[in-house]
Every structure is written in C-alpha cells, then in structure tokens.
Amino acid sequence: MSDRRISGFKPTGPLQLGNYVGAIRPVVDGQDQPTIVFVADLHAMTVPGDPQRLRELSLQVAGLLLASGVDPRRTILYRQSDLPAHAELHYLLECVATYGEAHRMIQFKEKGGGSGTRLSLLTYPVLMAADILLHDIAEVPVGRDQRQHVELTRDLAMRFNERHGPVFTVPRATHPAIAARLADLADPAVKMGKTNASSNGVLFLLDPPDVLRRKIMRAVTDTAGEVAYDPENRPGVSNLLELLAVATGDDPRRIASGHTGYGALKRATADAVIALLEPIQRRYHALSEDDIEQVLAAGAERAAERADATVARTKAAMGLSSARPARAGSPATPETVPASR
C-alpha cells in the first residue's frame, strides 16, 4: 500500500488561522512522508465567482503554503486545473457513479436543489474521488464530516475494479487527532472560517499586526471575569485560551491558571498570534507571482507522471485505448472486496 498523503486547499477566500492549525501545519510537519498538495481551484467553481478573484486567491493560497513551510523539494505542490488528468478521470468516474450516490451527498442536500444550482455542485464529490485515485492514495486523513466523500471514493474504486480489473488502489479514511477548533472571536458559537459572513472575528493569515491585535482585543468573553478553560459553558474565554495555546504550544488549562484578567489574556494572545504569523507574512511578501507560478508549474509536471499513467490504464480498462494499461510506480493494490453496492 502507498504511504503517500494528499491535501487540497480550496481558494474560496483568504486563508485564516484555523486553516493553518487544522490543515497547513500538519502537512508541513509530515513532509518526511511523500506528500501531494494541490490548490483545488476546480472545486471553487461549484458556486458563482469572479474569475480574476479566483486566480488571485489561487496564487495567494499557494504562496501561503510555501511561506508556511511547504517545501517543493519534498512535497509536490500544484494547481488542480494545471493537471488535465483531474478533469479527465472525473468524467471517466462519472461513467461509473450513479445519480443517487451524488444526490445524497450532504453538501448537495444543504446547498443545492434549486433550478439555478450548478451541476458541478452535484458532481464535485466524484471529482474529489478522482483527486484521490489519480495518485494511488491508500489512506486519506479526514475529519469525520468528510468521511462520506472517502466512502464514495471507495465505492467507485471497488465497483470499477470489479467491472474492469484491478486499476485503482482502494483508499480508506483515517481520522487524525483533532486539532483545536478555533471559534469566531465575535461569535464563539461559530467556527472561524474564511467565508464567514463577517470578518470581524476571523484572524486571516495576512492580516496586518494592528488588525490582528484589534480583533483579539475586541473578542467576546463573558461577564464572569475569571479566566477558566470551560469550552462548553464559557466558549469566548476558552477560545482565547486555545488561540494562545495554538500560538505557543502550551496547554490551555495551564495557561488559564497563569492569568487572572481578560485584558492581560487578550494582550498575551495578540502578542503570541502576531509572533506566530510574522515570519509567514514576511516570507509570503518576499515571493513574487512568478516565483509561485514556477513552483506550481514544476509541481504539475511532477504530478503528471503518475496521474497520466492512472488515466491511461483507466481508459485502457474501459476500452477507450488499444494500448496496454500504463502503470506508474507500484501497481495498484486494490482490496479484496464484496460485490459493489
């Protein structure tokens, strides 16, 4: 089984501290293992958007990944739309998937359904399956809210292998340790996200130091006045403690024992967050657009060898090519599986 890991970052808004803690930092820390990282610009097109904004955000995401420590000498970093194999395998898998499978995916149920809904919102889980299967990924680290996508990928891979022979590695979902769930500073009941309705409580990775400090100093706390770590009953104060813990590597409960007032806690949190993001911002602003484009182009070229081989053997198995199926690296090692569902 392959030990490669894969992570995709969708350029639907500026990256924020929660993205860094939950997704970017684990990638950077795990680069001793073969790693593939891509900017998922095709996934960003499931909803209407401005083309120039999409391009700018795609470059910004790639630049922040590099500035955060993603090393293109060890990690393959590319832009999804620069690798045609994604779109090609997506269509081939659509010829194996069913409408019912796509329609019952939770994101479509929550966001789709109207006559103006883009068809891509229905079919993008199949594109996610293509993202994984292109690279013969055996284990996919996901949060439990994303497990449904991996299950669809497994179903499509198993069904294809049963009908056409052993072409795909059948992946399985793994659940890494849960990172701190950073909440919106202005509304602790809401997760900090890059597309929140208001940016007042979101710490973006490129926010200037004065903006970061202002947002943190205005963070919602409570009227108790005592610093204590109690996420269920005192989410505002607990969120500040988690922010400070994220920035310093300390434990939020131990931090709480060393603070007696909200003002001092907010100042310490602001100082630590600014210190954490300063080197990332400095490295990001030192990158030119050409620097980023060169890394992405080189990454797409490296990724294409395996991805194109996967598409070639898929097409051959489906009768679309008379050539023998191409294989990149070790052959796929699909699991022994029961009849497809």
Side-chain angles (χ1 to χ4, degrees):
M1 281 271 183
S2 160
D3 63 350
R4 283 180 297 277
R5 301 184 312 156
I6 190 167
S7 294
F9 293 84
K10 191 160 62 171
T12 51
L15 294 177
Q16 41 84 22
L17 191 58
N19 300 130
Y20 175 77
V21 173
I24 299 175
R25 192 156 65 181
V27 167
V28 172
D29 291 344
Q31 289 182 104
D32 288 339
Q33 185 176 345
T35 302
I36 298 163
V37 179
F38 64 95
V39 180
D41 54 344
L42 295 178
H43 286 293
M45 298 178 69
T46 59
V47 294
D50 175 70
Q52 181 61 26
R53 178 66 170 160
L54 175 59
R55 181 177 183 278
E56 291 172 353
L57 282 173
S58 296
L59 289 173
Q60 185 182 104
V61 167
L64 281 169
L65 289 169
L66 292 170
S68 297
V70 171
D71 183 354
R73 295 168 298 182
R74 294 190 290 165
T75 294
I76 296 176
L77 172 62
Y78 67 95
R79 182 170 40 207
Q80 187 183 29
S81 61
D82 289 340
L83 193 64
H86 281 276
E88 190 168 7
L89 187 60
H90 178 200
Y91 179 75
L92 297 176
L93 291 176
E94 282 187 338
C95 296
V96 178
T98 67
Y99 171 77
E101 287 174 316
H103 189 264
R104 64 173 172 261
M105 300 299 285
I106 188 64
Q107 281 80 0
F108 186 76
K109 287 183 176 181
E110 291 178 347
K111 301 177 183 178
S115 60
T117 301
R118 291 190 175 189
L119 184 59
S120 55
L121 185 64
L122 175 68
T123 63
Y124 89 90
V126 184
L127 177 57
M128 292 183 70
D131 299 337
I132 297 167
L133 298 178
L134 270 180
H135 297 290
D136 294 329
I137 305 296
E139 294 187 352
V140 184
V142 292
R144 296 194 180 277
D145 59 335
Q146 292 291 315
R147 186 179 181 90
Q148 190 183 35
H149 291 111
V150 181
E151 289 302 319
L152 176 64
T153 304
R154 286 176 55 82
D155 288 345
L156 296 180
M158 290 188 292
R159 186 178 306 145
F160 190 99
N161 289 344
E162 289 168 356
R163 292 178 181 176
H164 302 292
V167 169
F168 295 123
T169 297
V170 179
R172 67 182 183 89
T174 61
H175 303 294
I178 298 174
R181 180 190 181 276
L182 301 182
D184 189 298
L185 293 170
D187 183 0
V190 177
K191 178 181 174 182
M192 188 181 291
K194 58 189 175 184
T195 57
N196 286 20
S198 170
S199 63
N200 293 335
V202 181
L203 301 177
F204 295 109
L205 298 187
L206 291 177
D207 275 346
D210 62 320
V211 174
L212 293 169
R213 188 175 297 280
R214 182 172 67 249
K215 289 179 178 180
I216 293 171
M217 295 305 295
R218 294 178 177 175
V220 169
T221 53
D222 55 41
T223 58
E226 178 188 1
V227 177
Y229 185 65
D230 183 357
E232 183 174 348
N233 299 308
R234 304 181 61 188
V237 176
S238 298
N239 190 44
L240 285 170
L241 290 166
E242 288 181 356
L243 274 174
L244 185 49
V246 160
T248 61
D250 207 341
D251 180 78
R253 290 178 176 81
R254 201 195 72 79
I255 294 172
S257 66
H259 287 80
T260 56
Y262 294 161
L265 173 61
K266 289 181 177 181
R267 287 190 292 273
T269 302
D271 290 343
V273 169
I274 291 168
L276 174 69
L277 296 185
E278 186 278 329
I280 296 174
Q281 294 180 358
R282 175 168 34 84
R283 290 191 292 264
Y284 173 81
H285 290 301
L287 291 168
S288 70
E289 184 175 309
D290 285 344
D291 293 333
I292 299 170
E293 288 284 11
Q294 287 175 16
V295 169
L296 292 174
E301 186 173 347
R302 289 174 64 193
E305 182 178 357
R306 179 175 298 276
D308 289 348
T310 300
V311 170
R313 69 176 185 260
T314 304
K315 292 172 67 176
M318 297 179 81
L320 296 175
S321 169
S322 60
R324 293 171 63 90
R327 294 183 181 272
S330 301
T333 53
E335 301 171 359
T336 301
V337 296
S340 60
R341 285 175 267 176

mmCIF file of all heavy atoms in Angstrom, residues 287-305:
data_model
loop_
_atom_site.group_PDB
_atom_site.id
_atom_site.type_symbol
_atom_site.label_atom_id
_atom_site.label_comp_id
_atom_site.label_asym_id
_atom_site.label_seq_id
_atom_site.Cartn_x
_atom_site.Cartn_y
_atom_site.Cartn_z
ATOM 1 N N LEU A 287 7.815 36.571 -1.823
ATOM 2 C CA LEU A 287 7.570 35.777 -3.025
ATOM 3 C C LEU A 287 6.955 36.632 -4.115
ATOM 4 O O LEU A 287 6.061 37.447 -3.855
ATOM 5 C CB LEU A 287 6.621 34.615 -2.716
ATOM 6 C CG LEU A 287 7.142 33.492 -1.824
ATOM 7 C CD1 LEU A 287 5.976 32.592 -1.401
ATOM 8 C CD2 LEU A 287 8.199 32.673 -2.552
ATOM 9 N N SER A 288 7.402 36.463 -5.328
ATOM 10 C CA SER A 288 6.777 37.135 -6.467
ATOM 11 C C SER A 288 5.752 36.189 -7.097
ATOM 12 O O SER A 288 5.766 34.977 -6.862
ATOM 13 C CB SER A 288 7.819 37.520 -7.507
ATOM 14 O OG SER A 288 8.337 36.367 -8.152
ATOM 15 N N GLU A 289 4.875 36.749 -7.914
ATOM 16 C CA GLU A 289 3.908 35.922 -8.624
ATOM 17 C C GLU A 289 4.617 34.904 -9.508
ATOM 18 O O GLU A 289 4.198 33.745 -9.605
ATOM 19 C CB GLU A 289 2.987 36.811 -9.466
ATOM 20 C CG GLU A 289 1.882 36.061 -10.175
ATOM 21 C CD GLU A 289 0.919 36.991 -10.889
ATOM 22 O OE1 GLU A 289 0.426 37.937 -10.254
ATOM 23 O OE2 GLU A 289 0.670 36.756 -12.090
ATOM 24 N N ASP A 290 5.720 35.332 -10.146
ATOM 25 C CA ASP A 290 6.482 34.409 -10.987
ATOM 26 C C ASP A 290 7.068 33.267 -10.164
ATOM 27 O O ASP A 290 7.104 32.123 -10.623
ATOM 28 C CB ASP A 290 7.609 35.156 -11.711
ATOM 29 C CG ASP A 290 7.094 36.014 -12.857
ATOM 30 O OD1 ASP A 290 5.939 35.798 -13.284
ATOM 31 O OD2 ASP A 290 7.847 36.888 -13.321
ATOM 32 N N ASP A 291 7.541 33.566 -8.954
ATOM 33 C CA ASP A 291 8.076 32.511 -8.079
ATOM 34 C C ASP A 291 7.022 31.438 -7.837
ATOM 35 O O ASP A 291 7.289 30.228 -7.933
ATOM 36 C CB ASP A 291 8.508 33.092 -6.727
ATOM 37 C CG ASP A 291 9.701 34.022 -6.821
ATOM 38 O OD1 ASP A 291 10.517 33.862 -7.752
ATOM 39 O OD2 ASP A 291 9.812 34.926 -5.959
ATOM 40 N N ILE A 292 5.820 31.894 -7.505
ATOM 41 C CA ILE A 292 4.742 30.960 -7.184
ATOM 42 C C ILE A 292 4.339 30.161 -8.418
ATOM 43 O O ILE A 292 4.161 28.937 -8.360
ATOM 44 C CB ILE A 292 3.534 31.724 -6.602
ATOM 45 C CG1 ILE A 292 3.941 32.447 -5.310
ATOM 46 C CG2 ILE A 292 2.372 30.765 -6.335
ATOM 47 C CD1 ILE A 292 2.891 33.417 -4.791
ATOM 48 N N GLU A 293 4.216 30.842 -9.557
ATOM 49 C CA GLU A 293 3.825 30.158 -10.793
ATOM 50 C C GLU A 293 4.851 29.104 -11.185
ATOM 51 O O GLU A 293 4.495 28.017 -11.657
ATOM 52 C CB GLU A 293 3.654 31.171 -11.925
ATOM 53 C CG GLU A 293 2.416 32.064 -11.806
ATOM 54 C CD GLU A 293 1.125 31.344 -12.172
ATOM 55 O OE1 GLU A 293 1.149 30.101 -12.327
ATOM 56 O OE2 GLU A 293 0.086 32.009 -12.294
ATOM 57 N N GLN A 294 6.123 29.389 -10.992
ATOM 58 C CA GLN A 294 7.162 28.423 -11.339
ATOM 59 C C GLN A 294 7.061 27.172 -10.468
ATOM 60 O O GLN A 294 7.208 26.048 -10.959
ATOM 61 C CB GLN A 294 8.544 29.066 -11.197
ATOM 62 C CG GLN A 294 8.868 30.071 -12.285
ATOM 63 C CD GLN A 294 10.192 30.779 -12.053
ATOM 64 O OE1 GLN A 294 11.017 30.341 -11.258
ATOM 65 N NE2 GLN A 294 10.398 31.893 -12.748
ATOM 66 N N VAL A 295 6.806 27.371 -9.171
ATOM 67 C CA VAL A 295 6.651 26.218 -8.285
ATOM 68 C C VAL A 295 5.443 25.387 -8.705
ATOM 69 O O VAL A 295 5.508 24.151 -8.769
ATOM 70 C CB VAL A 295 6.513 26.675 -6.820
ATOM 71 C CG1 VAL A 295 6.090 25.506 -5.930
ATOM 72 C CG2 VAL A 295 7.822 27.261 -6.314
ATOM 73 N N LEU A 296 4.325 26.050 -9.000
ATOM 74 C CA LEU A 296 3.111 25.331 -9.383
ATOM 75 C C LEU A 296 3.307 24.574 -10.694
ATOM 76 O O LEU A 296 2.852 23.432 -10.842
ATOM 77 C CB LEU A 296 1.941 26.303 -9.505
ATOM 78 C CG LEU A 296 1.463 26.948 -8.199
ATOM 79 C CD1 LEU A 296 0.387 27.994 -8.482
ATOM 80 C CD2 LEU A 296 0.948 25.903 -7.220
ATOM 81 N N ALA A 297 3.973 25.195 -11.653
ATOM 82 C CA ALA A 297 4.206 24.539 -12.945
ATOM 83 C C ALA A 297 5.098 23.312 -12.771
ATOM 84 O O ALA A 297 4.836 22.239 -13.347
ATOM 85 C CB ALA A 297 4.829 25.527 -13.930
ATOM 86 N N ALA A 298 6.157 23.459 -11.981
ATOM 87 C CA ALA A 298 7.055 22.332 -11.745
ATOM 88 C C ALA A 298 6.329 21.209 -11.004
ATOM 89 O O ALA A 298 6.526 20.019 -11.288
ATOM 90 C CB ALA A 298 8.282 22.789 -10.958
ATOM 91 N N GLY A 299 5.466 21.585 -10.050
ATOM 92 C CA GLY A 299 4.709 20.581 -9.308
ATOM 93 C C GLY A 299 3.736 19.828 -10.192
ATOM 94 O O GLY A 299 3.588 18.602 -10.075
ATOM 95 N N ALA A 300 3.078 20.544 -11.111
ATOM 96 C CA ALA A 300 2.136 19.892 -12.026
ATOM 97 C C ALA A 300 2.866 18.914 -12.940
ATOM 98 O O ALA A 300 2.355 17.826 -13.249
ATOM 99 C CB ALA A 300 1.393 20.943 -12.844
ATOM 100 N N GLU A 301 4.062 19.287 -13.356
ATOM 101 C CA GLU A 301 4.846 18.397 -14.214
ATOM 102 C C GLU A 301 5.238 17.115 -13.463
ATOM 103 O O GLU A 301 5.165 16.018 -14.004
ATOM 104 C CB GLU A 301 6.098 19.123 -14.700
ATOM 105 C CG GLU A 301 6.903 18.330 -15.720
ATOM 106 C CD GLU A 301 8.047 19.129 -16.307
ATOM 107 O OE1 GLU A 301 8.075 20.364 -16.123
ATOM 108 O OE2 GLU A 301 8.918 18.519 -16.965
ATOM 109 N N ARG A 302 5.625 17.268 -12.192
ATOM 110 C CA ARG A 302 5.969 16.094 -11.383
ATOM 111 C C ARG A 302 4.740 15.217 -11.141
ATOM 112 O O ARG A 302 4.819 13.989 -11.197
ATOM 113 C CB ARG A 302 6.562 16.528 -10.047
ATOM 114 C CG ARG A 302 7.956 17.124 -10.137
ATOM 115 C CD ARG A 302 8.382 17.664 -8.782
ATOM 116 N NE ARG A 302 8.486 16.594 -7.785
ATOM 117 C CZ ARG A 302 8.589 16.819 -6.471
ATOM 118 N NH1 ARG A 302 8.580 18.062 -5.998
ATOM 119 N NH2 ARG A 302 8.687 15.804 -5.632
ATOM 120 N N ALA A 303 3.606 15.852 -10.853
ATOM 121 C CA ALA A 303 2.382 15.101 -10.561
ATOM 122 C C ALA A 303 1.852 14.380 -11.791
ATOM 123 O O ALA A 303 1.194 13.336 -11.676
ATOM 124 C CB ALA A 303 1.315 16.033 -10.001
ATOM 125 N N ALA A 304 2.132 14.931 -12.974
ATOM 126 C CA ALA A 304 1.550 14.387 -14.202
ATOM 127 C C ALA A 304 2.025 12.978 -14.512
ATOM 128 O O ALA A 304 1.282 12.187 -15.113
ATOM 129 C CB ALA A 304 1.875 15.317 -15.376
ATOM 130 N N GLU A 305 3.237 12.633 -14.113
ATOM 131 C CA GLU A 305 3.757 11.300 -14.464
ATOM 132 C C GLU A 305 2.855 10.197 -13.925
ATOM 133 O O GLU A 305 2.431 9.301 -14.657
ATOM 134 C CB GLU A 305 5.180 11.140 -13.930
ATOM 135 C CG GLU A 305 5.797 9.794 -14.304
ATOM 136 C CD GLU A 305 7.231 9.649 -13.822
ATOM 137 O OE1 GLU A 305 7.766 10.614 -13.238
ATOM 138 O OE2 GLU A 305 7.803 8.566 -14.034
#
